[in-house]
Amino acid sequence: VLVCKDTAVPECKEDEVRIKVGAAGVNRPDVLQRMGVYPPPPKAVTGRDPNVLPGLEVSGTVASVGSAVPAGAVQLDDQVVALADGGGYAEYVCVPYGQVLKPPPGLSPVEAGAVCEGYFTVWHNLFQQCNVFGQRLRDGEGKAVLIHGGTS
């Protein structure tokens, strides 16, 4: 069960980006965290509230940039997508800058909110793990793939 409550805007670490969340994906790990059977990653709660909010993928706008984030990596008001360590259901979330990127062109903020966990998991499974469309396609074999659930 989700309950709305007021919390402080998170204070980011020096290597993090604070994002004003526009949309958040809902994934299996989020459901399992809400059920209490899938703890958030330890780094998500180090020095923060151990009852971290769920939410692993977001889209939104950059609200602040930590002092150790490389110049030009992101700037205030940039549209971004991010794979968060938790907390993506909040209005603001802090995410390590290496987990933040520009959204693919042509996607709405809501569509972009489902890129990191859902889309990248499918991409990884198909192209990096299974080499779908790899050598066999170049050899003229195997021009189709059946996808029957490809995310976590």
Side-chain angles (χ1 to χ4, degrees):
V1 174
L2 295 176
V3 177
C4 288
K5 68 177 189 174
D6 290 329
T7 61
V9 174
E11 291 296 322
C12 293
K13 298 173 185 170
E14 60 187 18
D15 66 339
E16 293 181 325
V17 175
R18 182 182 300 121
I19 299 169
K20 181 169 180 33
V21 176
V26 178
N27 298 286
R28 184 171 180 261
D30 301 312
V31 173
L32 294 175
Q33 280 183 1
R34 288 195 310 266
M35 293 170 59
V37 297
Y38 184 80
K43 65 182 179 176
V45 296
T46 302
R48 295 191 173 130
D49 180 355
N51 300 308
V52 68
L53 296 166
L56 299 175
E57 64 180 344
V58 300
S59 70
T61 56
V62 173
S64 67
V65 179
S67 61
V69 175
V74 292
Q75 298 182 22
L76 289 179
D77 298 322
D78 278 355
Q79 295 296 312
V80 294
V81 297
L83 184 60
D85 295 327
Y89 287 6
E91 186 176 356
Y92 290 90
V93 63
C94 293
V95 179
Y97 77 88
Q99 296 167 210
V100 177
L101 61 147
K102 305 282 181 171
L107 294 184
S108 73
V110 170
E111 293 166 331
V115 165
C116 290
E117 178 73 15
Y119 179 80
F120 289 159
T121 300
V122 172
W123 179 270
H124 172 72
N125 287 341
L126 285 174
F127 297 104
Q128 293 178 310
Q129 293 292 89
C130 299
N131 195 28
V132 171
F133 304 124
Q135 186 63 43
R136 288 182 40 208
L137 182 62
R138 287 189 293 276
D139 292 342
E141 300 175 28
K143 295 190 177 174
V145 62
L146 170 64
I147 300 171
H148 187 269
T151 63
S152 61

